[in-house]
Amino acid sequence: MTAQPREDVAAMLRAGATYRAIREQLGVGHGVIRKTRTTYDIPTPRRLGPRGAELRAATERRYPKVVAMLRAEATTRQITAATGVSAPTLVRIRRILDIPVPARNMRTLRTIPEGLALYVEPYGDGHARWTGPYAGDQPQLCAGGRRHSARREAFRAHHDRPPVGTVQEDCDEPGCIAGAHLTDQTIRDEAQFNAVYHAIFGDTA
């Protein structure tokens, strides 16, 4: 049987887990891990080099409470609430210290903002691409044990309100998920009204 990529494996790879840790926690073979890394285009973690031990020691000295909570398998939300350390910083600390995210808590641990921070990749002139999982051609965000529309959540995060109707990109980049480039029906209706008003009345003081 051909090895199939898995989302839980991808999440652990992105969190910096070793192949051994993934095999032990998820019970998958090397082929599944390799296929997942290739399918999701997850780069191989950079080695820390000869000063790796110094970096690990410095990280433990700087974030002793964070390190203790990570090793006790506290959730990202719990650690952030207790220490004020952001989710992206926690990911870096995990990678430096080779502390994987517990597979049993992978979806429960992640919040929507954390998922957006993990999978939204900015590029070009304010654009962003989705690097996470899809359902068909729609980007999907797994957080809090549920699936969410990544496009709708990116809109909500930027505009600070839920979208009305279909969310579409309003730029020349297909699939762009940058919040500033997303529109809903309300925004499109307002733009159409303004265009008609301007056509009739022109610029008014």
Side-chain angles (χ1 to χ4, degrees):
M1 180 181 295
T2 303
Q4 296 297 317
R6 288 175 45 168
E7 182 185 327
D8 51 355
V9 172
M12 290 193 70
L13 284 171
R14 291 191 181 97
T18 63
Y19 278 31
R20 179 178 179 181
I22 296 173
R23 287 197 303 268
E24 290 177 352
Q25 293 194 33
L26 301 183
V28 298
H30 185 86
V32 172
I33 302 173
R34 186 173 56 227
K35 180 68 172 179
T36 300
R37 186 183 290 281
T38 301
T39 300
Y40 286 87
D41 195 24
I42 301 172
T44 301
R46 293 177 297 176
R47 295 185 180 276
L48 296 178
R51 301 191 62 183
E54 295 179 20
L55 180 58
R56 282 189 287 269
T59 300
E60 291 187 346
R61 287 195 301 270
R62 183 176 179 182
Y63 301 103
K65 186 173 182 179
V66 169
V67 173
M69 294 184 73
L70 284 171
R71 288 177 172 153
E73 298 190 357
T75 67
T76 296
R77 185 177 302 172
Q78 289 170 339
I79 298 173
T80 297
T83 67
V85 176
S86 68
T89 299
L90 293 178
V91 170
R92 290 195 294 271
I93 294 173
R94 285 183 183 277
R95 288 173 176 166
I96 292 171
L97 301 181
D98 194 24
I99 303 176
V101 177
R104 60 186 173 81
N105 290 328
M106 194 65 65
R107 292 186 181 182
T108 303
L109 287 175
R110 186 181 302 142
T111 64
I112 288 175
E114 290 167 357
L116 292 174
L118 179 63
Y119 293 127
V120 174
E121 180 182 274
Y123 72 95
D125 187 18
H127 302 296
R129 62 173 61 90
W130 180 252
T131 64
Y134 281 78
D137 61 350
Q138 296 300 312
Q140 296 290 298
L141 173 61
C142 295
R146 296 178 53 198
R147 287 184 177 272
H148 306 265
S149 165
R151 190 176 297 275
R152 295 180 72 83
E153 293 304 332
F155 178 97
R156 185 196 301 266
H158 179 80
H159 294 280
D160 198 29
R161 66 172 177 81
V164 176
T166 304
V167 175
Q168 301 174 353
E169 66 267 16
D170 186 30
C171 63
D172 57 1
E173 289 291 318
C176 179
I177 200 168
H181 294 183
L182 297 177
T183 67
D184 68 346
Q185 192 61 52
T186 298
I187 292 176
R188 292 190 294 272
D189 287 347
E190 290 177 353
Q192 184 178 18
F193 173 83
N194 290 336
V196 172
Y197 184 92
H198 179 78
I200 296 173
F201 298 103
D203 295 325
T204 58

